[in-house]
Amino acid sequence: MSQSGKRLCLVMNLGWFWGQMITVYGCGGAMVSGTIPSYTVLRHTARTAGVMVWGAIPFDSRSTLIVMRGTLTGQRYVDDILRPHVGPFLNGLPGAIFQQDNARPHTARVAEDFLRHFQTLPWPARSPDLSPIEHVWDQLKRQMPSCHSVHDLDLAVQDLWAHLPKGNIRCLINSMTDRVAARIAAGGGPTRY
C-alpha cells in the first residue's frame, strides 16, 4: 500500500489509557496495513479518548481514585484534587509526608501555596524511580482489559484500583528508604527501581 499523499493519525487504543499502545489509522478511519517506510514520521494529530487518574497510596490503604477529563492546570489540581481529597486524606494520617512529582500542575504556585500546610518530600527532577505509585500505575496498566468506551475504561480502572492488594502497597512503601539510598549512591542517576 502506498503511503504517499496520505495523512496519518495515531489513535490510542482505549485499553491502555496511559498512551503506551497506539493504533495507526488513516484519517478516513481505515486501518493502515502494510509497512510504513522508515523515513515516515508519524505524529499524533487527532484527539484521543481516555481518562486521567489521580490516586495516593499510604502504607496500608489507598485513596479514592479520582478520574478526570480535560486538562489539569494548577488551579484545577488544587480545586479538584488537593482541597477536597488530599487535604482531608493527609489530615487523617498524622505524620504523613506527601510525595508527588514535578508535573507542572504540582509545582504551580497555587498548588505549592496549598501544600505549605503539609509536610512534603522534596522531589528531584526526572526521578520516577523514587515514586512507589509509578509502579502501581504500571501494574494497573498491565492488568487493564480491552475497553471499547471511555465509560468502560473508567469502570475498569476504578475496579483495578479498588482491588489493588494492600501487600503490594506496603512493599512499595517499605522500599522508599532503599530507593532514596540507591538514588544517592547513583549520584542522582538511574537506579534498579
Side-chain angles (χ1 to χ4, degrees), residues 129-140:
D129 51 344
L130 286 178
S131 177
I133 203 156
E134 293 300 328
H135 293 274
V136 171
W137 299 141
D138 182 61
Q139 178 183 350
L140 294 182

Side-chain angles (χ1 to χ4, degrees), residues 50-54 66-73 76-77 80-81 154:
V51 297
M52 177 175 35
V53 299
W54 180 92
I66 310 303
V67 179
M68 302 179 72
R69 288 176 182 76
T71 303
L72 185 63
T73 63
R76 187 169 179 212
Y77 182 53
D80 295 353
I81 295 174
D154 188 343

Side-chain angles (χ1 to χ4, degrees), residues 55-191:
I57 52 169
F59 183 71
D60 206 21
S61 65
R62 69 190 66 77
S63 70
T64 300
L65 187 70
I66 310 303
V67 179
M68 302 179 72
R69 288 176 182 76
T71 303
L72 185 63
T73 63
Q75 188 62 56
R76 187 169 179 212
Y77 182 53
V78 170
D79 293 343
D80 295 353
I81 295 174
L82 293 179
R83 188 170 289 118
H85 300 285
V86 174
F89 191 68
L90 290 175
N91 284 331
L93 297 169
I97 300 171
F98 186 62
Q99 176 187 7
Q100 62 182 356
D101 62 21
N102 288 323
R104 285 189 182 194
H106 302 170
T107 60
R109 176 169 282 151
V110 66
E112 289 179 346
D113 287 347
F114 179 86
L115 288 171
R116 284 196 178 111
H117 304 288
F118 302 97
Q119 186 176 359
T120 58
L121 182 66
W123 192 260
R126 295 178 294 280
S127 302
D129 51 344
L130 286 178
S131 177
I133 203 156
E134 293 300 328
H135 293 274
V136 171
W137 299 141
D138 182 61
Q139 178 183 350
L140 294 182
K141 183 172 44 174
R142 285 184 276 117
Q143 295 175 349
M144 184 63 61
S146 183
C147 298
H148 301 290
S149 71
V150 174
H151 177 72
D152 290 347
L153 181 61
D154 188 343
L155 294 176
V157 72
Q158 290 282 2
D159 183 60
L160 287 171
W161 180 259
H163 292 96
L164 182 67
K166 288 182 180 180
N168 290 15
I169 295 171
R170 282 191 297 270
C171 182
L172 288 168
I173 300 298
N174 282 334
S175 72
M176 277 305 297
T177 303
D178 292 338
R179 288 170 189 274
V180 171
R183 186 67 174 204
I184 292 169
T191 69

